[in-house]
Amino acid sequence: VNIFLYGPPGVGKSTVGRILAGRLQREFVDLDDLIVQRTGRTIGAWFCDGEAAFRAVEATVCREVAGPGNRVVALGAGALLDPATRAEITRDNLVVCLRAELATLVSRLGDGGARPLVATADVPSALGALLVSRAALYDSFPEQIETAARTAGAVVSAIEARLRPRTLAIPRLRQNVVVGYGLLEQLQPMLVEHGVNGPVVLVTDSHVADALRPRLLAAWPTIVLTPGEGSKRMGEIERLASRFLASGLDRQGTVVALGGGVVGDIAGFAAATFMRGVAWVNVPTSLLAMVDASIGGKTGVDLPEGKNLLGAFHAPALVVADPLALGTLPRQEFAAGMAEVIKHALIGDPALFEALERNGRFGSIDDLTAAIDVKRRIVEADPFERGEREALNAGHTIGHALEVVSGYTMRHGEAIAIGLVAEARMAEDLGLAAPGLAARIEAVIRRFELPVSAGDVDPEALRRATTSDKKRANGAVRFVLPAAIGRVVRGVRAEPAMVYKSCASIVA
Ligand SMILES: NC(=O)c1ccc[n+]([C@@H]2O[C@H](COP(=O)([O-])OP(=O)(O)OC[C@H]3O[C@@H](n4cnc5c(N)ncnc54)[C@H](O)[C@@H]3O)[C@@H](O)[C@H]2O)c1
Ligand SMILES: [Zn+2]
């Protein structure tokens, strides 16, 4: 995987890049140097023709070094201004954004040197204006490294720490979760390292196969499913089992699921039942699958009567989450996963919640690890859903009712986002949470492009739908309600009038 270093002028991209490449024993590319090499003209000369001419040649050279490889690339400070270039680079390369405040940058830049955009008499004001106009751009990359008061060597160490995979263990499910950049490309050796030595069959869907399979470099027999919830049917399990047999899978074999929650649930259930159970490895590629569906061992398919009605607890021995897989995920699918991330932060990680509020950004390796860890802790405490695990149902009672009332046309994550808001309001009404909690939750949900109201829905129909949630105990609807950021109360019974009020608050 290529590592692109980005950030404002003077932040130290080239210095840091050279040291990082040395430590990792990788090729180092300074994009400005390469432009000079390729075109035979200095950056200053290019700028004389105008910034647009320079950006065009810069984009071409940038694409050249973004192809498969293991380079460390120091970018020019404006190289990712163009959305098309940015999209192409972030799709399957790691971008690390180096940061420092104005005073530090000014002192590092000295007289402005070879950087045409700030080579004026007044470097501080030129650079200050540039930082303001590019703030949103620089803020948008999940991996951010503060460089002020750090030596270049220390910055490199901080980057190396982000590159190191993290392992989270769920001993009671005998499940290990590894999160790390570039793991997709190392899947085959990784499986061998984890003791997989029998036959392997890969199950994926066609979207994921198109987006990611070229990066897998795996030579396993592959079964490609039709994307979408519609594939989660029993017939698909039977079909998979036959394909497993034809591919030579036996009891010593391993099923590898590569995809979102749909692929994981189907492949996992097939693994649970094929020859009374074979091992499986889950490689989640959607945000929802990374932070939620791949953790905890539930597998299954739908029945015409409802979702997930047929299934088994069968945890994958290993979950491999590569944050770079998210680079090809459609925007709306990312947002849908964010609903579960916000839920996890709300029920078990106040620091993560505050980071979401503060930054409006998610996706670094630390972010993902934190979101996964909330679910890990809960399923480890209650692997078979007898108590604590119920906390994961926050936002889901009203969220599920919304799905039902919409005839499942609403995306799960969107329904949960709205459900979180409605249930937080109910918590305030019941005096379980202090006033203001619902507003905080609503603000975060809006920030991540998720809806907070449901449009034209009948609140009474919605209230009634909550009473048919499969998770009710003895007929009474039990809510999991937030008491504060990081703390929920389980098993709350609410009067119908109270439920109605909260349902009415989220319809337009
Ligand atoms: N087992 C559990 O504990 C559990 C928990 C939560 C949800 N689920 C299940 O998960 C399913 C939802 O999961 P989902 O949201 O991942 O849906 P999904 O698997 O349908 O994926 C969403 C879409 O994104 C595509 N996609 C996935 N990764 C991609 C990538 N890296 N690049 C490009 N496209 C990509 C898929 O092809 C699909 O079109 C539901 O069936 C739900 O019941 C299971
Ligand atoms: Zn959910």
Side-chain angles (χ1 to χ4, degrees):
V1 169
N2 298 307
I3 303 166
F4 282 76
L5 301 182
Y6 194 49
V11 80
K13 301 178 288 290
S14 301
T15 311
V16 167
R18 210 162 269 122
I19 302 172
L20 180 65
R23 285 207 203 155
L24 300 174
Q25 301 190 306
R26 288 170 173 226
E27 177 194 354
F28 174 67
V29 178
D30 184 293
L31 200 75
D32 280 357
D33 290 350
L34 190 62
I35 292 169
V36 175
Q37 223 182 74
R38 288 282 183 275
T39 65
R41 299 181 72 193
T42 65
I43 305 298
W46 273 109
F47 263 89
C48 285
D49 296 357
E51 188 180 345
F54 172 71
R55 294 288 172 224
V57 66
E58 185 184 42
T60 310
V61 177
C62 198
R63 290 200 168 90
E64 177 192 327
V65 289
N70 279 304
R71 305 170 199 95
V72 173
V73 182
L75 290 168
L80 301 183
L81 282 167
D82 170 39
T85 312
R86 185 161 74 242
E88 201 173 314
I89 302 302
T90 53
R91 212 172 54 106
D92 42 24
N93 297 280
L94 171 59
V95 176
V96 177
C97 190
L98 307 183
R99 305 305 292 264
E101 86 293 7
L102 180 60
T104 306
L105 297 174
V106 170
S107 74
R108 287 188 193 153
L109 270 177
D111 62 359
R115 297 169 178 83
L117 278 189
V118 291
T120 65
D122 188 1
V123 173
S125 61
L127 189 55
L130 182 144
L131 286 186
V132 169
S133 70
R134 293 187 190 165
L137 170 66
Y138 292 140
D139 280 344
S140 69
F141 303 95
E143 290 298 353
Q144 301 271 334
I145 307 253
E146 183 51 55
T147 68
R150 270 177 166 162
T151 62
V155 172
V156 170
S157 300
I159 299 173
E160 284 181 300
R162 308 279 171 97
L163 298 176
R164 229 166 276 135
R166 288 100 211 260
T167 301
L168 298 95
I170 315 175
R172 290 176 74 186
L173 290 174
R174 297 201 200 149
Q175 185 178 5
N176 276 314
V177 183
V178 187
V179 190
Y181 286 109
L183 293 182
L184 223 47
E185 288 175 11
Q186 298 160 30
L187 197 56
Q188 222 160 355
M190 236 184 123
L191 294 199
V192 173
E193 204 180 290
H194 279 85
V196 172
N197 45 28
V200 170
V201 176
L202 183 79
V203 182
T204 187
D205 75 26
S206 60
H207 293 158
V208 176
D210 291 344
L212 299 177
R213 204 163 44 164
R215 301 227 309 265
L216 258 185
L217 312 170
W220 300 311
T222 299
I223 302 170
V224 181
L225 304 172
T226 306
E229 188 73 24
S231 288
K232 271 177 66 171
R233 335 176 241 105
M234 199 53 202
E236 207 63 39
I237 301 300
E238 210 176 318
R239 207 177 64 92
L240 273 184
S242 301
R243 301 279 302 271
F244 288 171
L245 278 177
S247 304
L249 200 71
D250 58 21
R251 280 194 187 80
Q252 278 68 49
T254 301
V255 174
V256 176
L258 173 76
V262 165
V263 169
D265 277 8
I266 299 172
F269 188 43
T273 47
F274 181 70
M275 296 188 168
R276 298 196 184 81
V278 297
W280 73 295
V281 170
N282 198 352
V283 187
T285 63
S286 70
L287 180 55
L288 184 133
M290 283 189 200
V291 303
D292 188 359
S294 66
I295 313 297
K298 287 191 192 174
T299 69
V301 294
D302 303 335
L303 290 181
E305 290 84 351
K307 279 185 64 174
N308 301 319
L309 289 176
L310 212 53
F313 275 103
H314 185 57
L318 180 67
V319 174
V320 181
D322 183 345
L324 290 179
L326 301 176
T328 54
L329 192 65
R331 206 183 165 96
Q332 273 196 319
E333 297 297 346
F334 188 88
M338 277 311 298
E340 306 288 358
V341 169
I342 293 167
K343 179 197 76 182
H344 285 179
L346 174 64
I347 66 179
D349 192 340
L352 176 61
F353 194 92
E354 282 155 22
L356 296 176
E357 279 181 318
R358 198 172 50 242
N359 304 324
R361 164 180 79 221
F362 180 87
S364 71
I365 187 166
D366 289 335
D367 290 340
L368 279 166
T369 307
I372 291 169
D373 200 51
V374 171
K375 183 153 183 189
R376 180 198 66 81
R377 288 194 320 257
I378 291 171
V379 302
E380 175 66 2
D382 177 19
F384 300 108
E385 207 163 31
R386 302 210 168 91
E388 289 99 314
R389 201 161 167 166
E390 197 188 352
L392 293 165
N393 229 23
H396 279 60
T397 308
I398 291 182
H400 186 238
L402 273 167
E403 288 185 284
V404 169
V405 169
S406 80
Y408 287 93
T409 54
M410 188 178 274
R411 232 188 216 89
H412 177 72
E414 291 169 1
I416 296 316
I418 301 168
L420 285 169
V421 173
E423 293 182 12
R425 287 179 184 154
M426 195 193 299
E428 285 186 11
D429 289 343
L430 289 168
L432 289 170
L437 184 72
R440 265 180 92 180
I441 294 169
E442 182 180 338
V444 168
I445 287 172
R446 283 181 192 276
R447 212 154 163 197
F448 285 91
E449 300 179 21
L450 285 161
V452 295
S453 71
D456 191 17
V457 174
D458 171 16
E460 178 54 22
L462 196 53
R463 187 204 61 78
R464 248 182 286 114
T466 63
T467 65
S468 63
D469 191 306
K470 73 174 172 187
K471 284 176 179 122
R472 82 200 129 126
N474 321 320
V477 191
R478 290 158 51 96
F479 285 89
V480 179
L481 298 180
I485 303 297
R487 195 160 55 82
V488 288
V489 184
R490 294 185 278 120
V492 180
R493 290 184 166 77
E495 295 295 323
M498 194 61 101
V499 181
Y500 179 87
K501 186 179 173 212
S502 110
C503 289
S505 83
I506 48 142
V507 301

